[in-house]
Amino acid sequence: MADRKGRKMLYEKRQTEKWKERLFVLITSLLLPCILTLLISGTNETAGNQVSGIMIELENGNKVDMEEFLLYMLAGQIRLDAHTEALKAQCVIARTNLLRELAGEKEKKAKELNVAYLSPEKLENSLGGLKKEEILKKLKRVINHTYPYVLTYEEEYIEALYHHVSTGTTVSAEEIYGQGRPYLIAVDSSQDVEAEEYMTLSFWTGRELLAKLQGIGIGKEYTTDTIFSALKIAEKTKNGYVKKVAVGTEEITGEEWKSLFGLNSTHFFLEEQDGMLRMIVLGKGHGIGLSQYGAERMAEEGAGWKEILLKYYPGVRIEK
């Protein structure tokens, strides 16, 4: 009797141990992916997304935290294959401009913001055949690493202007817009002259010129033979950015001319050549603030994102 009772107790003990082993295997299998993720993430820098508490409503009605919205801003403002340090610099620029635009508001519709960004749908399409997951992880790491840094001057968010390629030196905001900023002054960016888009050329026939100009109500009295002699750059800044183009007695601003003919910048020259008008354009963008090409080159040479920002925005503070 006692022997039977002992065998029963031993059997129950073994069954209990088997259930413990099965439970351990089950729990381990469920937790293993999480453990691996934490091991791969490694540092706090990549462990998860930061949260600001400021919400942005997208066009599809979804609301995302401002820090997540920065991902869409980066996608709309800079090449996604740019150097990591250049991306970090652009991220701080984007965060600064977004907070300046929000002006203290805790919730805003994306379409009401004066910032460049891609919608989630456009971002999805733009990635195309690129390594989507790898790029998204890279952008999230960039955003988390720079959280919550911004650029300030005298305790206010700066107007962090940027452009693609300068003409070899950036230009002051005062020269272009007539309103200066102590941190938006001309700085050397001589490496930009090596950029593929540093100089672009386009050629226009008299017929094409007239079609463009007369389409906006200018130069109606001219023909394909007389339009070239009627053109003249009437006013430019000291660094060569065109402010006004004369078409006979009429005038068009440099910005309007740039938009009309799809030019990269307002730093252009007009020359008649072999019965056509040649437009020579230097740089890409307005030339104020950070040059993205210059930032990329600095990053390739070992500069960090803070060094890049302090070069292109002299006198600013990088703070949380």
Side-chain angles (χ1 to χ4, degrees):
M1 188 76 176
D3 185 48
R4 186 186 305 170
K5 187 176 180 180
R7 286 199 300 271
K8 182 180 180 181
M9 291 176 64
L10 181 62
Y11 172 78
E12 290 176 347
K13 182 179 179 181
R14 287 177 177 173
Q15 288 297 107
T16 300
E17 289 175 349
K18 285 182 179 179
W19 277 110
K20 286 181 179 178
E21 289 175 0
R22 291 172 183 171
L23 184 61
F24 175 78
V25 170
L26 177 63
I27 292 173
T28 302
S29 65
L30 291 173
L31 290 179
L32 186 59
C34 297
I35 295 170
L36 287 174
T37 300
L38 288 173
L39 289 173
I40 292 170
S41 298
T43 64
N44 290 332
E45 176 183 325
T46 59
N49 293 332
Q50 301 289 353
V51 177
S52 70
I54 299 172
M55 304 304 293
I56 306 297
E57 183 178 332
L58 304 174
E59 282 82 350
N60 59 17
N62 293 338
K63 294 181 180 180
V64 299
D65 188 84
M66 183 191 85
E67 290 298 305
E68 183 177 343
F69 185 67
L70 287 177
L71 188 149
Y72 304 121
M73 289 182 68
L74 282 174
Q77 296 179 5
I78 190 172
R79 287 176 29 237
L80 297 185
D81 60 349
H83 193 285
T84 300
E85 294 304 306
L87 282 170
K88 289 176 183 178
Q90 188 68 35
C91 184
V92 176
I93 288 170
R95 183 182 290 114
T96 302
N97 287 333
L98 181 54
L99 286 169
R100 178 186 172 93
E101 182 74 14
L102 287 167
E105 293 187 56
K106 297 299 181 182
E107 187 169 322
K108 193 87 170 179
K109 292 184 178 181
K111 63 183 180 181
E112 296 174 352
L113 295 167
N114 185 29
V115 296
Y117 70 97
L118 289 184
S119 67
E121 295 76 19
K122 288 183 178 178
L123 174 57
E124 181 80 19
N125 294 333
S126 71
L127 292 175
L130 299 174
K131 298 178 180 178
K132 175 183 172 183
E133 293 303 319
E134 183 179 324
I135 291 174
L136 292 179
K137 286 179 182 178
K138 179 181 178 181
L139 292 180
K140 288 176 182 178
R141 286 196 299 269
V142 163
I143 293 168
N144 290 338
H145 183 88
T146 61
Y147 177 85
Y149 287 103
V150 292
L151 299 168
T152 66
Y153 185 85
E154 295 184 347
E155 300 183 356
E156 292 186 356
Y157 300 122
I158 74 165
E159 191 175 356
L161 300 183
Y162 61 92
H163 57 283
H164 296 289
V165 183
S166 79
T167 60
T169 180
T170 66
V171 64
S172 71
E174 185 175 10
E175 180 174 339
I176 300 296
Y177 298 125
Q179 293 183 329
R181 298 284 188 275
Y183 49 83
L184 293 178
I185 58 176
V187 300
D188 177 71
S189 193
S190 53
Q191 62 268 43
D192 289 25
V193 300
E194 300 172 10
E196 185 177 340
E197 295 174 301
Y198 169 71
M199 183 173 70
T200 52
L201 301 174
S202 63
F203 296 85
W204 300 81
T205 66
R207 186 183 299 276
E208 292 170 332
L209 276 174
L210 282 178
K212 288 282 188 182
L213 293 171
Q214 293 179 356
I216 60 171
I218 293 178
K220 291 183 178 181
E221 67 272 31
Y222 295 101
T223 67
T224 55
D225 295 324
T226 60
I227 185 61
F228 296 118
S229 59
L231 296 177
K232 178 183 178 183
I233 293 178
E235 184 181 352
K236 61 171 63 176
T237 71
K238 65 180 181 180
N239 284 310
Y241 288 86
V242 176
K243 300 186 76 172
K244 292 179 182 179
V245 177
V247 184
T249 59
E250 299 173 287
E251 287 186 341
I252 178 174
T253 69
E255 283 290 344
E256 290 171 330
W257 187 276
K258 168 180 171 286
S259 177
L260 186 62
F261 292 98
L263 306 183
N264 279 347
S265 81
T266 59
H267 196 298
F268 57 83
F269 305 89
L270 305 178
E271 298 177 352
E272 185 180 357
Q273 185 181 64
D274 300 326
M276 300 184 75
L277 183 70
R278 182 172 72 160
M279 299 187 195
I280 306 168
V281 186
L282 300 184
K284 186 175 182 180
H286 49 54
I288 305 171
L290 177 133
S291 160
Q292 291 182 330
Y293 181 84
E296 181 78 6
R297 286 292 304 275
M298 285 184 68
E300 290 172 354
E301 293 169 4
W305 61 274
K306 290 184 180 181
E307 183 182 350
I308 293 169
L309 290 171
L310 291 176
K311 172 184 176 175
Y312 284 105
Y313 304 107
V316 304
R317 292 173 61 87
I318 302 173
E319 56 186 3
K320 297 181 180 180

